[in-house]
Amino acid sequence: MITTPEAVHFGKDDLPFVDIGDGSMLKVLHVRVGEGLWIIENIFQAGYEVQKHRHTGPVFGYTTSGAWKYKEYDYVNRAGSFLYEPAGSEHTLQCIEDNTRVWFQMYGSNINLGENDEIDMVVDGSLTLNYYLAICEEQGLPRPNVLIEP
């Protein structure tokens, strides 16, 4: 007999957001270690910037509110925007409106680059999950029931 797995549902407030600096927030929804998959949601404030980085796998982004851009490109991601980033793409995320909300589905790692494009740090789903759980604990929040798969 084959058992059909149940769907997993998270309500709007089932997983907490944690502050990642400048009032910007992070929520980790799903990490599938074997595939290198990590799905996160961010709320960015105007002026927040993510260090220049390169992706080792594809990234899918969907903006639900606000506006952000990449320093290296002219287009602006606004509510309703979908963005696909192929493996190897390199950019610097800049938030241009308060309360910008973006959902990212990523595969592989972000290779954070320094001023001379040297590797500064490598961030992946497992590292992001551990950071998220540690901040939740530090803030006295109960351990969130993030969907974690091998």
Side-chain angles (χ1 to χ4, degrees):
M1 176 181 256
I2 297 174
T3 304
T4 304
E6 292 185 30
V8 176
H9 172 264
F10 293 123
K12 179 182 146 198
D13 298 320
D14 287 349
L15 298 171
F17 278 99
V18 296
D19 194 313
I20 56 173
D22 296 338
S24 295
M25 311 293 276
L26 165 72
K27 178 191 296 191
V28 177
L29 301 160
H30 186 181
V31 175
R32 186 177 289 170
V33 179
E35 287 183 19
L37 168 68
W38 40 312
I39 300 174
I40 63 172
E41 186 175 6
N42 291 106
I43 301 173
F44 298 121
Q45 301 306 315
Y48 187 81
E49 186 169 297
V50 174
Q51 181 176 1
K52 182 178 179 183
H53 58 279
R54 179 182 314 120
H55 295 283
T56 64
V59 175
F60 305 88
Y62 185 75
T63 304
T64 57
S65 67
W68 62 280
K69 67 183 292 298
Y70 288 133
K71 183 189 286 187
E72 298 80 7
Y73 303 103
D74 292 332
Y75 60 82
V76 174
N77 296 280
R78 297 189 181 279
S81 292
F82 171 79
L83 181 70
Y84 167 70
E85 304 169 10
S89 65
E90 209 171 273
H91 40 255
T92 310
L93 185 152
Q94 298 176 315
C95 184
I96 54 179
E97 288 184 8
D98 281 339
N99 299 313
T100 294
R101 200 168 185 143
V102 188
W103 179 91
F104 292 106
Q105 175 178 330
M106 296 175 273
Y107 292 88
S109 301
N110 286 359
I111 300 172
N112 292 344
L113 303 170
E115 288 185 26
N116 298 314
D117 288 339
E118 75 280 358
I119 295 174
D120 185 43
M121 183 178 185
V122 178
V123 178
D124 63 10
S126 294
L127 185 66
T128 301
L129 174 63
N130 290 336
Y131 169 78
Y132 177 68
L133 295 175
I135 297 298
C136 285
E137 184 176 330
E138 182 180 291
Q139 293 179 1
L141 300 169
R143 184 178 173 97
N145 192 23
V146 176
L147 178 56
I148 304 169
E149 297 179 288

